[in-house]
Amino acid sequence: MTLRINSEAPNFTAETTQGRINFHEWIGDGWAILFSHPKDFTPVCTTELGYMAGLEDEFTKRNCKIIGLSVDPVDSHKDWEKDIEETQGHAVKYPMIGDTDLAVAKLYNMLPEDEAGTSEGRTAATNATVRSVFVIGPDKKIKLMMTYPMTTGRNFDEILRALDSMQLTAKHQVATPVNWKSGEDVIIVPAVSDEEAAKKYPEGWTTVKPYLRIVPQPK
């Protein structure tokens, strides 16, 4: 199954460090971020999990849950969490999925569907493609997908920025320009006519081109 933006996020049931979950039920009526790791006790992922632990309150403010995944058992995750807190200064309070049968990695196209075996005997290199981030909306649709190489740490400040954009644009008929940050000007989408825009934005907007109309961020 090929996943794209606006595909339904595949549902699954799995063991996590906080008990067994049904993914869609766990998401509930908010947003969620699923981010994956090729193996426990890997250096780059250790820094990423710790940084996300430090950012969790920011995601919570945005009604967004965090869940990690690694192709190793839950007991191993719990031991890894101790190293993460010790080295990164933040305790991991969000759940981490134990994907020992590779089922979730396959379901989310991070490993081939016909990949044989379990997590036993696999290395980070054989799981190198399990390095993805999925942002999922309240409608259970995938809103963003990113995959990184093992040697490049992910930028979770960017994920937070993108989440701000997606939540804003889900409520208002606007888009956000390059490098936009919350509070900055936005773009009126072409589907909104000037007549409609005049009702929405009585204080006016700046027309750079007919298709590029800049307006302050809606409150």
Side-chain angles (χ1 to χ4, degrees), residues 165-192:
S165 170
M166 288 182 283
Q167 291 186 336
L168 176 70
T169 59
K171 293 180 181 178
H172 304 278
Q173 290 180 296
V174 296
T176 56
V178 63
N179 295 334
W180 172 89
K181 294 179 182 177
S182 184
E184 296 179 349
D185 290 351
V186 298
I187 297 167
I188 303 171
V189 297
V192 176

Side-chain angles (χ1 to χ4, degrees), residues 5 16 20 41 62 66 73 80 85 90 103 106 129 140 151 153 160 166 179 191 195 205 210:
I5 300 297
T16 80
R20 192 166 182 81
F41 303 100
R62 293 158 172 83
I66 300 169
W80 190 17
E85 182 175 8
H90 296 289
K106 292 176 184 178
T129 51
K140 311 304 184 288
T151 53
L160 192 64
M166 288 182 283
N179 295 334
E195 291 76 16
W205 60 87

Side-chain angles (χ1 to χ4, degrees), residues 78-132:
K78 291 179 178 178
D79 288 338
W80 190 17
E81 287 177 353
K82 298 172 187 175
D83 281 5
I84 293 165
E85 182 175 8
E86 178 187 344
T87 62
Q88 307 305 307
H90 296 289
V92 175
K93 297 177 182 177
Y94 51 83
M96 289 179 62
I97 297 162
D99 194 28
T100 55
D101 59 1
L102 316 180
V104 181
K106 292 176 184 178
L107 197 59
Y108 277 77
N109 288 338
M110 296 182 284
L111 287 173
E113 289 183 14
D114 59 357
E115 189 81 3
T118 67
S119 62
E120 187 69 29
R122 295 181 68 89
T123 67
T126 54
N127 298 330
T129 51
V130 188
R131 287 276 299 153
S132 296

Side-chain angles (χ1 to χ4, degrees), residues 172-173 188 192-205 213 215 218:
H172 304 278
Q173 290 180 296
I188 303 171
V192 176
S193 68
D194 283 348
E195 291 76 16
E196 292 171 314
K199 295 175 184 177
K200 290 177 177 290
Y201 309 108
E203 295 181 1
W205 60 87
R213 295 166 295 171
V215 70

Side-chain angles (χ1 to χ4, degrees), residues 4 17 22 30 36 43 49 64 73 76-77 79 81 83 85 91 99 115 126 129 135 138 148-149 151 154 194 202 212:
R4 297 183 176 90
T17 51
N22 173 286
S36 62
L49 286 158
C64 182
S76 176
H77 295 353
D79 288 338
E81 287 177 353
D83 281 5
E85 182 175 8
D99 194 28
E115 189 81 3
T126 54
T129 51
V135 179
Y148 283 69
T151 53
R154 286 171 276 199
D194 283 348
L212 182 54

Side-chain angles (χ1 to χ4, degrees), residues 20-33:
R20 192 166 182 81
I21 65 162
N22 173 286
F23 189 49
H24 282 191
E25 290 177 2
W26 178 83
I27 292 172
D29 59 1
W31 293 69
I33 293 173

